[in-house]
Amino acid sequence: MGHRPGTADYLLHGGVPTDVAVVDGAARHTYADLRLAAGRTASALAALDLPPGSRVGILGPNSVFWVAAYLAVLKLGHVAVPLPDRATAAAVRRAADLAGCAVVCADRRALRAAGSELDGGPALLTDDVVTAGPDPCWPDGAPPDPAADAVLMFTSGTTSRPRAVRITHRNLQANTESVLAYLRLRPDDRILAVLPFHYCFGASLLHTHLRAGARLVLCTSLAFPRTVVDLLEREGCTGFAGVPSTFQLLLRAGTLATRPLPSLRLIQAAGGALPAVVVDELRAAQPQAQLFVMYGQTEATARLSYLPPDRLDDKRGSIGRGIPGVELTVRHPSGRPVVPGEQGEIYARGENVSPGYLDDPGATADKFTAHGLRTGDLAVVDEDGFVYVVDRADDFIKSWGHRVSSQEVEACALRLPDLVQAAAVGVPDAAAGEAIALFVTRHPSSAVTGADVLAFCGRHLPRHMVPRSVTVVDALPLTASGKVAKAQLRAGALASAPASGAASPSAGVTASPSAGVTAGVT
Amino acid sequence: MDQAVRTALADFIIEDFLFGDATRLPGDGASLTDAGVMDSTGVLELIEFLESRFGIEVAESETVPENLDSVAALVRYVSGKRAGLATSA
């Protein structure tokens, strides 16, 4: 890229003033409305007289206010800090403090939930600013240095504690360009955005659709799966994006599998391996839509690779190749690139790769290496350069001297159509090293038991991959971005090791412990 | 509004979703999901509670915000279901 505009203007550049930018409940906001809302928020923020580069938190569910605040922060040369909105109030406060937020732009709905936790903390700017704010301001002036921080994104922390990732203006714009180069979004596209904007995948949807001058239809809860599908239909959405749990929920507990959605042309899946059965169900349910299986990390702004939809069959299970502008290399532990078929770890280079974590030189040095971003994902490459993730390095289970991929165990269990979700974790075991504990959720009308699932796995998996226990739960604990929180599952499994040989109630596994029923093997 | 039903529902929400903090209970007409009080796990817990406490069966097609997403909607839904049960019995 040659001359770079400031990121806020870069994102708003393409939107036709009279086109709808954001559908937020019953309200439809055009690009002109969005510019006004962002201008008012910028005006209120400017009145606080913060030094340039100040960190400004954004707290709340996806909303037009959230978007306006984000754009305003970027416009004024400050650093946006999207805070998790479904976290406990204490976690929100910790994140705001960790990032050193001087001010938090807060949705009053989220403030209610935070209670008094934010008292005595950062100054607050609430969402009434978009309707009753001061006269808008949108100052001209030199855009910030492209190498300066634009956003601090918290990693989702599926396996470890959250960290703040520094995303520069250059990172954000480069990744947006790359994604648009292969998704080819148009001004008439309409995405149903269920992923929170504080999660890198959700943020990427925001960036790319604004830049394309397209429409974002907001849906802040998956609590009612049927309603989500209704909204897809009613708003004539052309796009939908989710993490694996989103699709599993909507296909098996919602009506995505049966509802014709002729407008839907583009489905984006990322944020974890989409099991093959779910890929098949999704394609069978919505054959008119192109399915993009993608891969990325917060440390790479969002996106690193995609599999072209026409390669879903011949490259089944692959995350594809690097997106335009990204070089993906699978490396042997010695550092050299692997040969086809050999396993190694994925490294990535590109303008979208973050300069590092906030205030954490140790973790930064470990993750951002001479070979580029070390993803922590183990993979193999085929002769054509297509990458196949074997598993997260952290998600391997060491059972009977074998390294078992939790994804393979989960994929086997999910071949049972009664199941909605599955998550396998390793728990310490004297004999096996680690024993496999599998947690599943089932279709609301299903009576399938843990013992049934266990028997199925026993028939279809080699001995060392068969779970020690299968626990049917009401729901899996999820991180703020909708990924299964394996650390929490592991802790729950340890706290409630099932008595072997007998189906027994298990406690303390998830938010809804009463329904957990475990089947164990002798 | 059926006050006994409302009290039972409010008690459940305060106890299970708000960890006893009654000050965070949204107004009767306000969305529980918008307020961040109830997520997808919460809806499942809520259904289990409705079925065991009020002896009704929540059909999949009834699992919609119009029935379940506010205290007022819940009271209306539960009262309607029980009236339906009474007349059909």
Side-chain angles (χ1 to χ4, degrees):
Chain A
M1 274 184 275
H3 170 72
R4 290 169 190 268
T7 298
D9 293 305
Y10 165 85
L11 293 174
L12 282 172
H13 173 79
V16 174
T18 51
D19 281 357
V20 173
V22 177
V23 177
D24 186 357
R28 312 173 93 73
H29 305 273
T30 63
Y31 274 92
D33 297 335
L34 181 58
R35 288 190 179 95
L36 176 65
R40 282 183 167 149
T41 312
S43 191
L45 206 50
L48 298 175
D49 238 352
L50 303 171
S54 293
R55 292 167 190 153
V56 179
I58 304 176
L59 175 66
N62 290 357
S63 68
V64 75
F65 163 69
W66 202 105
V67 180
Y70 188 70
L71 292 167
V73 172
L74 294 172
K75 178 65 188 177
L76 296 179
H78 298 315
V79 182
V81 184
L83 297 167
D85 76 300
R86 295 284 161 87
T88 62
V92 170
R93 177 65 189 267
R94 266 199 309 278
D97 288 348
L98 177 70
C101 294
V103 177
V104 172
C105 299
D107 195 306
R108 284 165 296 173
R109 289 173 288 180
L111 277 184
R112 268 192 81 107
S116 58
E117 189 66 43
L118 289 175
D119 291 356
L124 298 176
L125 189 66
T126 53
D127 57 293
D128 38 341
V129 72
V130 300
T131 45
D135 287 342
C137 89
W138 204 247
D140 291 322
D145 180 350
D149 292 351
V151 188
L152 293 177
M153 289 295 271
F154 286 94
T155 53
S156 55
T158 48
T159 52
S160 56
R161 70 183 177 84
R163 290 195 177 89
V165 180
R166 297 169 51 208
I167 302 297
T168 65
H169 293 274
R170 177 181 288 126
N171 290 154
L172 190 159
Q173 295 189 30
N175 207 224
T176 303
E177 290 301 312
S178 301
V179 173
L180 287 172
Y182 70 86
L183 282 184
R184 300 182 183 286
L185 299 178
R186 308 184 304 231
D188 61 349
D189 271 315
R190 302 168 174 192
I191 180 91
L192 186 74
V194 298
L195 299 167
F197 294 146
H198 63 73
Y199 163 48
C200 68
F201 189 6
S204 173
L205 298 177
L206 176 66
H207 300 151
T208 51
H209 284 79
L210 287 181
R211 175 67 179 170
R215 180 181 302 187
L216 292 131
V217 178
L218 308 184
C219 175
T220 54
S221 173
L222 288 171
F224 301 101
R226 175 179 291 261
T227 307
V228 178
V229 182
D230 287 347
L231 199 56
L232 272 171
E233 181 178 43
R234 193 168 69 241
E235 292 292 336
C237 289
T238 61
F240 183 65
V243 296
S245 67
T246 318
F247 295 110
Q248 285 159 3
L249 192 70
L250 295 187
L251 283 168
R252 296 189 180 182
T255 49
L256 187 61
T258 50
R259 185 86 59 93
L261 297 167
S263 305
L264 188 63
R265 70 174 191 94
L266 211 154
I267 298 174
Q268 304 181 44
L274 195 61
V277 285
V278 179
V279 171
D280 293 342
E281 283 175 40
L282 207 45
R283 293 168 78 195
Q286 303 295 337
Q288 80 292 346
Q290 288 196 305
L291 171 61
F292 281 83
V293 171
M294 317 189 298
Y295 164 80
Q297 288 203 329
T298 307
E299 290 84 349
T301 306
R303 197 62 47 234
L304 283 168
S305 82
Y306 81 104
L307 179 67
D310 60 3
R311 307 306 294 270
L312 275 171
D313 290 310
D314 73 323
K315 300 296 181 188
R316 192 172 168 82
S318 172
I319 57 159
R321 290 185 289 200
I323 59 173
V326 168
E327 181 193 315
L328 277 192
T329 311
V330 180
R331 294 183 183 276
H332 183 268
S334 69
R336 65 163 171 81
V338 296
V339 297
E342 186 185 17
Q343 189 171 299
E345 185 170 351
I346 304 175
Y347 286 76
R349 287 180 197 283
E351 280 205 315
N352 59 320
V353 173
S354 156
Y357 298 111
L358 179 71
D359 300 334
D360 197 339
T364 299
D366 183 53
K367 187 85 178 173
F368 300 87
T369 72
H371 291 305
L373 171 66
R374 190 163 75 84
T375 64
D377 287 315
L378 302 181
V380 295
V381 189
D382 71 8
E383 294 75 11
D384 301 321
F386 283 75
V387 179
Y388 295 75
V389 173
V390 184
D391 212 338
R392 289 282 313 158
D394 298 340
D395 279 355
F396 272 95
I397 301 164
K398 292 153 206 83
S399 168
W400 300 107
H402 296 271
R403 287 165 62 76
V404 174
S405 159
S406 58
Q407 288 176 15
E408 281 184 57
V409 179
E410 293 156 11
C412 172
L414 284 172
R415 283 158 56 196
L416 278 169
D418 279 23
L419 297 188
V420 176
Q421 291 167 304
V425 296
V427 290
D429 180 86
E434 278 188 309
I436 302 168
L438 181 69
F439 295 85
V440 298
T441 63
R442 63 192 176 194
H443 192 277
S445 62
S446 166
V448 74
T449 65
D452 298 336
V453 178
L454 201 54
F456 182 84
C457 290
R459 285 196 299 277
H460 293 95
L461 286 171
R463 169 103 173 85
H464 67 273
M465 289 177 66
V466 176
R468 165 70 52 86
S469 65
V470 177
T471 307
V472 176
V473 292
D474 277 353
L476 294 174
L478 298 179
T479 65
S481 53
K483 299 182 195 173
V484 176
K486 289 207 167 175
Q488 199 179 327
L489 271 183
R490 220 170 271 130
L494 284 176
S496 62
S500 63
S504 61
S506 93
V509 174
T510 66
S512 48
S514 56
V517 175
T518 301
V521 251
T522 44
Chain B
M1 186 181 285
D2 185 329
Q3 281 305 324
V5 172
R6 189 200 169 279
T7 304
L9 285 164
D11 286 351
F12 168 77
I13 292 166
I14 291 166
E15 201 53 45
D16 274 56
F17 296 164
L18 300 174
F19 309 104
D21 183 358
T23 60
R24 287 178 47 212
L25 183 68
D28 280 2
S31 158
L32 295 170
T33 51
D34 272 359
V37 170
M38 182 168 70
D39 59 7
S40 51
T41 313
V43 171
L44 296 174
E45 290 178 49
L46 173 70
I47 292 170
E48 203 174 286
F49 170 75
L50 294 179
E51 295 187 335
S52 63
R53 177 73 169 70
F54 299 110
I56 59 175
E57 193 171 319
V58 181
E60 201 193 323
S61 59
E62 293 168 348
T63 309
V64 292
E66 293 74 25
N67 290 333
L68 307 181
D69 197 21
S70 69
V71 171
L74 280 162
V75 172
R76 203 162 49 235
Y77 171 70
V78 170
S79 306
K81 287 288 277 192
R82 292 168 113 194
L85 284 177
T87 49
S88 66

